[in-house]
Amino acid sequence: NNIEVIFLSKKLIDDYSQDNLKNSECHILPNIIKPLLNKELAIQKTMEYHSETKIKNSKASILYFGHLMESKGYKRALDIAKSILGRRENYNFLFVGEFNSSIDKEYFDDYVSSNDIKSNVEYLGPCTKDVDKINLLISSDILILPSYSEAYPLTILEAFSLGLPVVATDTGAIREIVGGDYGKIVSDDPVNENYIKSFSEAIIKQENKWNQNLAIKCIVNFHEKWSEKEFSKQLLKIF
């Protein structure tokens, strides 16, 4: 009663009982991260990728970065890969992170093998060093988050800080982060086939429109919205 609460986003307020909050004042303070690279270097790196590597590499690189577990949607990511590769061969899907269990690892290996997509789907293992994370994000074309639930995923901010667009499920605060030119949001659907189709189409559309100029705008937008300066300003305003 009569308390003040700080939420990461307006959407996350819905996770709590309105009866519990009726006498409270709610404030919004979005998450931030420390940029993996400073703005100038991030722009330089993304320009190099789009002007050199991208031209040489005819295949788009789609990155799944996170825990490989049911709730994070790694199985749906495999279905998405299968769906796209059934129509187009110019895509590679990279999976990075730790498996939740040996059962999940077996599922991944069996799925890739039995669906004959091994040449375009690769598991790279966990990533613990910032330098490896930077290289992965810069050398990819889209980050995907086919999660069933999220709050305010920092992986999206890391991707934006390096000029990488995001395609993600509409869950948690993602709608308040992803949008406009910098990614696409896919509504969840109880019918898995419908979801896989929508997500696959979103990836193809996003990849087709992305270019060096949008990547640079993405980095600039990150530094305007999710900077430590902006965070401090909003936090002081709340206090």
Side-chain angles (χ1 to χ4, degrees):
N1 292 323
N2 301 315
I3 60 172
E4 299 194 39
V5 189
I6 299 176
F7 287 92
L8 295 176
S9 83
K10 291 180 181 178
K11 184 72 172 63
L12 295 179
I13 296 176
D14 296 338
D15 290 344
Y16 295 83
S17 166
Q18 297 310 300
D19 287 338
N20 290 341
L21 296 173
K22 65 183 178 183
N23 295 320
S24 304
E25 185 174 355
C26 298
H27 304 281
I28 306 300
L29 184 68
N31 251 336
I32 64 166
I33 61 162
K34 181 181 179 181
L36 294 169
L37 293 175
N38 65 50
K39 181 166 70 173
E40 291 73 23
L41 187 54
I43 290 174
Q44 178 189 328
K45 291 287 187 182
T46 196
M47 285 178 67
E48 289 172 359
Y49 173 71
H50 282 275
S51 61
E52 297 175 10
T53 311
K54 181 68 174 170
I55 294 172
K56 295 176 184 177
N57 188 1
S58 60
K59 292 187 178 182
S61 181
I62 311 302
L63 177 64
Y64 174 103
F65 195 110
H67 289 293
L68 280 81
M69 56 194 297
E70 185 73 31
S71 63
K72 296 299 180 183
Y74 90 94
K75 292 182 179 180
R76 299 207 290 195
L78 288 171
D79 288 340
I80 291 162
K82 177 185 174 183
S83 173
I84 291 179
L85 294 172
R87 294 173 286 163
R88 300 164 181 251
E89 295 182 351
N90 60 325
Y91 283 83
N92 282 330
F93 288 81
L94 305 178
F95 288 75
V96 178
E98 293 187 13
F99 283 100
N100 189 51
S101 67
S102 58
I103 294 174
D104 288 307
K105 178 67 167 64
E106 289 174 13
Y107 180 92
F108 182 95
D109 292 339
D110 289 345
Y111 189 101
V112 171
S113 178
S114 61
N115 287 285
D116 197 25
I117 54 176
K118 202 168 185 177
S119 58
N120 296 83
V121 177
E122 186 176 3
Y123 172 61
L124 301 179
C127 179
T128 56
K129 296 180 180 178
D130 279 351
V131 64
D132 294 333
K133 185 185 292 185
I134 290 167
N135 290 334
L136 267 172
L137 292 171
I138 284 181
S139 62
S140 297
D141 294 292
I142 295 175
L143 175 74
I144 59 171
L145 278 86
S147 310
Y148 288 91
S149 65
E150 291 283 354
Y152 201 105
L154 300 182
T155 308
I156 294 178
L157 302 188
E158 290 176 328
F160 284 172
S161 76
L162 297 174
L164 183 65
V166 176
V167 177
T169 312
D170 186 6
T171 181
I174 286 179
R175 180 169 289 277
E176 297 175 26
I177 310 171
V178 179
D181 290 326
Y182 312 121
K184 294 188 180 298
I185 299 169
V186 180
S187 297
D188 211 341
D189 195 308
V191 180
N192 189 57
E193 290 78 6
N194 295 341
Y195 175 84
I196 300 305
K197 181 181 178 182
S198 297
F199 207 104
S200 300
E201 290 173 353
I203 288 175
I204 293 170
K205 288 178 182 177
Q206 183 64 49
E207 198 274 326
N208 285 340
K209 82 168 192 175
W210 200 244
N211 55 47
Q212 186 185 84
N213 290 334
L214 284 175
I216 294 170
K217 280 178 63 179
C218 182
I219 294 170
V220 172
N221 181 64
F222 165 82
H223 283 276
E224 289 176 351
K225 287 187 176 180
W226 291 286
S227 68
E228 186 176 347
K229 181 179 178 181
E230 184 63 25
F231 180 86
S232 300
K233 176 181 165 185
Q234 295 300 323
L235 182 61
L236 287 171
K237 185 178 178 182
I238 290 171
F239 279 130

